[in-house]
Amino acid sequence: MTIPPEAYLWFKSLHIIGVVVWFAGLFYLVRLFIYHVEANEYPPDQREAFFKQYTLMEKRLANIITTPGMILTVSMACGLLIIQPSWLSEKWMQIKLLFVSFLLLYHFYCYRIMSKIQSKDFNWTGRQLRILNELPTLLLVVVVMLVVFKNNFPTNAATWLIVGLVIFMALSIQFYARYRRLKKEEA
Ligand code: HEM
């Protein structure tokens, strides 16, 4: 059987759609974990209702959005590699696969956190979870740069300037969020 030439483009489009869905799920899931652990600060009579709601939202998000997004990304990537197996001998692809394996570990680690939070056996603070939530951003930036630049991954001054700006923006958002939280606590 011959594979039609446009199959590669179909796989690539669906691969990118999968990536968007997967990351939307990963980002929002850890945000829900933050709300969930911070619900501990609510009055006891309200706490259980919030716990129940966050538990339901987390399960639905993980099983209906995040994991299907991951499966779509990986299965379409397999299709791309079956059509063009020579990618596997490229250095950028080998490095990409290393970072993707970190991302998969992160994905399954989120499931572990979810089950621990839901069984009330989790003692991380919201702040620690906020730091954890930065990890997929970093992996996203590296992986996207690897597929776009391939073996010409830029390491010049302009690149470091852009990386510095991205880190600065991420830190500013964190500090602003922290400032708003402190203000709210004061009020
Ligand atoms: C199982 C793991 C993965 C494999 C084997 C894989 C493989 C591939 C392959 C073969 C291509 C086509 C490259 C080309 O035609 O130039 C591709 C494209 C792409 N991949 Fe992946 N990928 C994987 C996971 C990911 C992840 C996790 C992300 C995002 C974080 C990602 C982002 C992209 C993007 C944005 C493109 C389009 C690049 C372009 O057309 O310039 N991939 N991937």
Side-chain angles (χ1 to χ4, degrees):
M1 193 190 78
T2 51
I3 300 171
E6 68 273 20
Y8 189 84
L9 296 178
W10 274 107
F11 283 137
K12 191 145 87 168
S13 305
L14 291 168
H15 178 61
I16 296 170
I17 292 167
V19 167
V20 174
V21 174
W22 188 11
F23 273 86
L26 285 177
F27 286 139
Y28 191 40
L29 191 59
V30 179
R31 187 108 295 269
L32 284 178
F33 294 162
I34 296 169
Y35 297 145
H36 198 147
V37 298
E38 289 182 351
N40 270 317
E41 293 156 16
Y42 297 161
D45 56 322
Q46 294 175 16
R47 213 178 286 164
E48 267 320 302
F50 277 104
F51 281 170
K52 253 194 184 157
Q53 184 61 27
Y54 289 134
T55 298
L56 182 73
M57 288 167 78
E58 286 156 4
K59 277 189 183 150
R60 288 200 178 149
L61 179 68
N63 298 331
I64 302 175
I65 308 277
T66 320
T67 296
M70 182 268 281
I71 293 171
L72 186 65
T73 305
V74 175
S75 55
M76 292 302 114
C78 292
L80 290 167
L81 292 180
I82 288 169
I83 297 180
Q84 196 150 326
S86 63
W87 284 133
L88 281 173
S89 54
E90 303 253 353
K91 192 116 211 114
W92 68 270
M93 177 56 82
Q94 291 159 4
I95 301 173
K96 174 176 170 172
L97 288 178
L98 178 71
F99 281 95
V100 174
S101 44
F102 293 150
L103 192 64
L104 285 166
L105 283 178
Y106 178 83
H107 179 102
F108 292 109
Y109 189 58
C110 284
Y111 265 83
R112 196 181 140 83
I113 294 181
M114 186 165 73
S115 87
K116 280 188 163 259
I117 292 183
Q118 290 172 3
S119 54
K120 299 193 171 63
D121 174 30
F122 187 74
N123 50 20
W124 284 33
T125 61
R127 191 172 148 69
Q128 286 170 311
L129 284 168
R130 280 185 179 85
I131 295 169
L132 181 77
N133 210 11
E134 296 302 331
L135 195 67
T137 315
L138 220 75
L139 294 173
L140 175 69
V141 171
V142 174
V143 172
V144 169
M145 285 184 69
L146 278 166
V147 275
V148 173
F149 287 96
K150 299 197 164 56
N151 287 332
N152 301 311
F153 197 89
T155 48
N156 56 11
T159 309
W160 295 117
L161 186 72
I162 294 169
V163 170
L165 272 174
V166 170
I167 294 174
F168 174 75
M169 276 165 59
L171 286 176
S172 307
I173 293 167
Q174 287 290 330
F175 281 126
Y176 180 62
R178 195 176 144 77
Y179 168 78
R180 278 186 41 171
R181 259 199 324 280
L182 290 175
K183 270 256 181 237
K184 210 169 128 195
E185 277 167 24
E186 263 174 36

